[in-house]
C-alpha cells in the first residue's frame, strides 16, 4: 500500500514524475509542474487491469464496498489541504469561498453519502401466481471522462457510485486539470485494492478511444454538449451504457413579490460560484419591471464587495478563468452585450496587461433577450439581467433554449413559487436558491443538457444494470 502524501510538494512530485507537458497557474502564469501524457497503448493496459480487478470487487458485498468508500473519504480528508492547494494553483479557484477547500469538503461528503445509501431488492409483483424481483447488478468497467471546472468533485461523482455498485473505473481527466485529478487518485489508491480505480492523463483523442473501447461497458461523461453529442454517436456501435452531464444556460426568474435585498446574496452566489465556471450556475436572470432597479442595485452592492485575485491569498473568493480559451469566450460575449446596447452595471473592463486570466465580476442590465450573452453559455463571471413585463413572457424566455440543466424561482410566496417552478423546463428547479446540489438528491439535465442522473439512490441505479428475476 502507498502512504498518504503529507505536503503539497510531496503530492506534486508524485504526480509530475515522468511528466512532459508544462502546467501553468492561471492566476500567476507560474509553472506548477509537468503533466504526464499517455496514449492508447496505456489505455489498453489499464482497461485490461480494470477487467481483471472487477470480478473480485463485484464479489464483495455492498457493506464491504461501502467500508472502502468510507476509507477513501478519510484519506481525502487527511490530504485535503495539499489537494486544495494543488487544485487552487492548477484550476485557479481560491482556497476560500465556495471554491477549493469547499470542493474537497464536497468530495468527502459525497463519498460518505454514497457509501451510506440503502439499495434494497425491489419486489415488483408477488400475487401468488407471479413473483418478480428487481436488482441492480454491476455493469463491469466504467470509463469516466471529466471537465476542468470542478475536477475533483466531478471525479468523485463518477468514482463513488461506480465503485459502490461493483464496477471498476478508468478515468480520463481534462487536459486542463490533469495534476489535481492525478493527485486525488493517488490519495484514493492508498486505501483501495489495485486496479479498481485507474487514471490515464491524456488528450481528447484518448477520451474518444475510450468511447469505442470494447473493454469499457459504460461511459459517464461530464463536459460540453458538443462533446456529449460526439460521445453519444461513437458509443452507439458498442451500445455502451451512457450518462451525459452536459452544458447548461440556467435561467433564474424573480417573481414580483420577492424581496430584492433578501435574495441578492443567493442570486450572486448562484451565478458567480467558482467565478461562474459551473454547469448549474445561474446564467441569465429575469426580473420584473416593478423590481428591476432594486434587484440591480442590490446585486451590485453584493458583487462589488467580493474580492477576486490569486487563489492562494486567503481573502479571495473569486479567481481567474481557468484558461485563455474560456477567458476569450467571456470577453467576446460581454463585448457583444455592449455592442448590442446593454448597460454595464459593474465590471466589463478587463485589465489586458495584468497577469492571469482575470475577468472582472460583470453585471449587464437592459440587455436584449436574444443577445448572445443571454442565449449562449458564458461559463464565467458575467451575468445578464433581463427585464420582463408578464410572467408568461418570463417563462417563455426561460424555456425557449435547447438546454435544461437547472433553473430557479425567487419569491416570498412559496406556493406561487412552486406553481411557477413546475412550468420551468429543467432537470432541477430550485426555489430561493440556485445550484444547491445535494448528494441525496438526483441531479441531471433534460434537452441538450444530457441524460441520466447522478447522486442518491437513483444515481446508484445508473451505475448498475437492472435485472429482473421472475418466477
Ligand atoms: P469538454 O467537452 O471540452 O471536455 C470534457 C472532457 O471531454 C475532457 O476530458 C476532454 O478531454 C474530453 N473530450 C474532448 N473531446 C472528446 C471526445 N471526442 N471523446 C471523448 N472525450 C472527449 O468540456 P469542458 O470545457 O472541459 O467543460 C465545460 C463544459 O462542461 C460546460 O459546458 C459545462 O456546462 C459542462 N459541465 C456540465 C456539468 C453537468 O453536471 N451537467 C458539470 C460540469 C461541467
Amino acid at each position: 500500500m502507498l502512504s498518504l502524501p503529507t505536503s503539497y510538494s510531496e503530492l506534486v512530485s508524485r504526480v509530475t514524475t515522468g511528466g512532459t507537458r508544462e502546467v501553468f497557474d492561471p492566476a500567476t502564469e507560474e509553472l506548477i509542474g509537468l503533466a504526464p501524457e499517455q496514449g492508447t497503448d496505456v489505455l489498453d493496459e489499464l482497461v485490461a487491469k480494470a477487467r481483471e480487478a472487477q470480478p473480485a470487487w463485484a464479489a464483495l458485498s455492498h457493506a464491504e464496498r461501502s467500508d472502502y468508500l468510507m476509507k477513501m473519504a478519510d484519506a481525502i480528508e487527511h490530504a485535503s489541504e495539499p489537494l486544495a492547494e494543488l487544485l487552487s494553483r492548477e484550476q485557479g479557484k481560491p482556497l476560500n469561498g465556495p471554491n477549493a477547500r469547499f470542493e474537497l469538503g464536497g468530495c468527502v461528503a459525497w463519498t460518505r453519502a454514497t457509501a451510506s445509501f440503502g439499495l434494497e431488492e425491489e419486489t415488483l409483483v408477488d400475487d401468488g401466481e407471479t413473483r418478480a424481483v428487481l436488482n441492480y447488478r454491476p455493469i463491469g468497467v466504467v470509463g469516466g471522462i471529466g471537465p476542468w471546472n470542478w475536477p475533483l468533485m466531478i471525479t468523485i461523482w463518477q468514482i463513488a457510485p461506480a465503485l459502490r455498485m461493483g464496477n471498476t473505473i478508468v478515468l480520463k481527466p481534462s487536459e486542463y486539470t490533469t495534476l489535481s485529478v492525478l493527485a486525488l487518485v493517488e490519495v484514493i489508491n492508498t486505501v483501495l485494492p489495485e486496479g479498481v480505480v485507474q487514471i490515464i492523463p491524456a488528450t481528447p483523442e484518448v477520451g474518444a478511444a475510450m468511447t469505442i473501447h470494447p473493454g469499457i461497458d459504460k461511459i459517464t461523461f461530464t463536459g460540453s454538449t458538443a462533446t456529449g453529442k460526439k460521445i453519444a454517436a461513437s458509443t452507439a456501435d458498442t451500445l455502451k451504457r451512457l450518462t451525459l452531464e452536459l452544458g447548461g444556460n440556467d435561467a433564474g426568474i424573480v417573481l414580483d413579490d420577492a424581496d430584492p435585498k433578501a435574495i441578492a446574496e443567493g442570486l450572486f452566489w448562484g451565478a458567480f460560484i467558482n467565478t461562474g465556471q459551473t454547469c448549474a450556475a445561474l446564467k441569465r436572470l429575469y426580473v420584473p419591471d416593478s423590481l428591476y432597479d432594486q434587484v440591480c442595485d442590490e446585486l451590485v452592492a453584493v458583487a462589488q464587495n467580493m474580492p477576486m485575485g490569486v487563489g492562494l491569498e486567503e481573502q479571495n473568493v473569486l479567481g481567474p478563468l481557468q484558461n485563455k480559451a474560456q477567458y476569450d469566450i467571456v470577453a467576446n460575449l460581454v463585448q457583444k452585450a455592449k455592442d448590442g446596447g446593454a448597460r454595464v452595471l459593474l465590471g466589463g473592463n478587463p485589465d489586458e496587461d495584468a497577469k492571469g486570466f482575470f475577468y472582472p465580476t460583470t453585471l449587464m442590465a437592459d440587455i436584449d433577450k436574444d443577445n448572445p450573452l443571454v442565449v449562449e453559455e458564458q461559463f464565467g463571471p458575467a451575468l445578464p439581467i433581463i427585464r420582463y413585463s408578464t410572467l408568461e413572457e418570463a417563462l417563455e424566455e426561460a424555456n425557449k433554449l435547447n438546454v435544461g440543466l437547472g433553473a430557479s424561482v425567487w419569491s416570498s410566496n412559496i406556493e406561487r413559487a412552486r406553481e411557477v417552478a413546475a412550468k420551468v423546463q429543467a432537470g432541477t428547479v430550485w426555489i430561493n436558491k440556485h445550484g444547491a446540489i445535494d448528494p441525496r438528491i438526483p441531479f441531471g439535465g433534460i434537452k441538450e443538457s444530457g441524460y441520466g442522473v447522478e447522486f442518491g439512490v437513483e444515481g446508484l441505479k445508473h451505475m448498475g444494470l437492472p435485472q429482473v428475476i421472475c418466477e
Side-chain angles (χ1 to χ4, degrees):
M1 271 292 155
L2 294 161
S3 62
L4 268 178
T6 52
S7 68
Y8 170 79
S9 48
E10 188 190 344
L11 189 62
V12 171
S13 70
R14 282 202 203 177
V15 295
T16 52
T17 306
T20 52
R21 185 171 55 77
E22 291 182 319
V23 178
F24 295 95
D25 182 330
T28 61
E29 299 179 26
E30 284 164 10
L31 183 71
I32 302 168
L34 300 175
E37 267 185 323
Q38 294 166 337
T40 48
D41 51 332
V42 175
L43 176 67
D44 290 342
E45 283 169 27
L46 297 187
V47 173
K49 275 193 199 162
R51 293 211 81 78
E52 202 184 310
Q54 197 267 333
W57 182 251
L60 299 177
S61 65
H62 271 286
E64 287 168 320
R65 291 194 296 264
S66 288
D67 274 352
Y68 271 112
L69 290 188
M70 288 303 204
K71 286 187 193 131
M72 219 175 99
D74 292 345
I76 299 168
E77 200 167 42
H78 271 99
S80 61
E81 262 310 287
L83 282 168
E85 187 174 334
L86 176 53
L87 176 63
S88 177
R89 289 187 187 211
E90 187 185 42
Q91 204 282 338
K93 62 180 70 189
L95 287 173
N96 289 324
N99 294 298
R101 287 180 176 133
F102 171 86
E103 182 164 350
L104 265 304
C107 291
V108 173
W110 251 269
T111 306
R112 288 193 179 133
T114 308
S116 72
F117 301 137
L119 185 63
E120 306 298 330
E121 177 174 273
E122 291 170 46
T123 301
L124 305 173
V125 179
D126 192 5
D127 62 5
E129 277 182 31
T130 300
R131 184 170 182 276
V133 294
L134 172 65
N135 275 289
Y136 287 83
R137 308 295 183 204
I139 304 174
V141 174
V142 174
I145 303 175
W148 49 261
N149 59 337
W150 291 91
L152 301 190
M153 199 139 77
I154 289 170
T155 300
I156 288 295
W157 295 348
Q158 299 181 337
I159 296 177
L163 261 47
R164 171 68 201 273
M165 295 304 288
N167 309 292
T168 53
I169 189 164
V170 177
L171 299 157
K172 195 211 81 67
S174 166
E175 49 282 18
Y176 291 109
T177 47
T178 305
L179 296 180
S180 304
V181 186
L182 278 171
L184 178 72
V185 171
E186 180 82 13
V187 165
I188 286 171
N189 275 338
T190 60
V191 296
L192 291 179
E194 213 185 320
V196 170
V197 175
Q198 297 179 93
I199 178 163
I200 180 156
T203 58
E205 289 68 37
V206 174
M210 287 169 75
T211 67
I212 52 171
H213 202 292
I216 293 180
D217 306 291
K218 166 163 182 146
I219 294 287
T220 179
F221 172 75
T222 299
S224 64
T225 295
T227 306
K229 286 183 183 178
K230 285 188 200 160
I231 292 176
S234 63
T235 50
D237 208 34
T238 48
L239 284 182
K240 291 188 201 321
R241 273 48 199 158
L242 199 52
T243 298
L244 294 176
E245 295 284 0
L246 310 178
N249 192 346
D250 291 11
I253 304 178
V254 176
L255 303 189
D256 58 11
D257 56 31
D259 174 349
K261 199 174 184 60
I263 63 174
E265 194 158 339
L267 287 174
F268 176 80
W269 282 117
F272 290 90
I273 181 168
N274 200 26
T275 316
Q277 301 161 105
T278 299
C279 53
L282 203 178
K283 293 175 181 151
R284 45 196 177 115
L285 181 64
Y286 295 90
V287 181
D289 288 324
S290 59
L291 294 182
Y292 194 80
D293 292 340
Q294 273 174 281
V295 169
C296 287
D297 291 349
E298 295 295 346
L299 264 174
V300 170
V302 172
Q304 66 192 4
N305 287 320
M306 296 295 178
M308 177 184 283
V310 174
L312 295 187
E313 292 172 6
E314 299 274 345
Q315 78 278 9
N316 293 324
V317 292
L318 298 166
L321 275 308
Q322 202 282 328
N323 54 71
K324 177 72 167 67
Q326 195 57 45
Y327 176 94
D328 288 343
I329 289 172
V330 176
N332 285 335
L333 286 173
V334 174
Q335 190 55 49
K336 284 181 182 163
K338 287 187 196 167
D339 294 347
R343 181 162 55 98
V344 181
L345 292 174
L346 187 70
N349 55 342
D351 177 356
E352 303 289 351
D353 300 326
K355 270 211 175 345
F357 306 129
F358 287 100
Y359 196 91
T361 307
T362 298
L363 294 167
M364 302 295 290
D366 297 330
I367 186 165
D368 184 80
K369 58 187 172 46
D370 292 316
N371 188 278
L373 182 62
V374 178
V375 296
E376 292 174 24
E377 185 187 31
Q378 72 274 47
F379 218 59
L383 179 68
I385 308 169
I386 309 107
R387 191 188 282 274
Y388 75 82
S389 303
T390 66
L391 187 53
E392 291 66 35
E393 179 196 335
L395 278 166
E396 194 182 318
E397 290 305 315
N399 289 339
K400 77 177 180 187
L401 300 184
N402 60 357
V403 283
L405 192 55
S408 55
V409 178
W410 303 75
S411 168
S412 301
N413 179 337
I414 188 70
E415 289 304 329
R416 190 165 168 237
R418 284 181 190 147
E419 269 174 40
V420 176
K423 295 179 184 159
V424 179
Q425 295 167 4
T428 305
V429 186
W430 289 281
I431 294 177
N432 293 330
K433 51 191 179 183
H434 196 111
I437 51 168
D438 180 315
R440 299 164 300 178
I441 304 173
F443 171 75
I446 61 170
K447 300 183 181 174
E448 292 191 0
S449 291
Y451 45 71
V453 292
E454 294 182 302
F455 316 160
V457 175
E458 289 306 312
L460 287 184
K461 290 178 179 175
H462 278 74
M463 282 292 185
L465 293 174
Q467 183 194 44
V468 173
I469 295 182
C470 188
E471 57 195 58

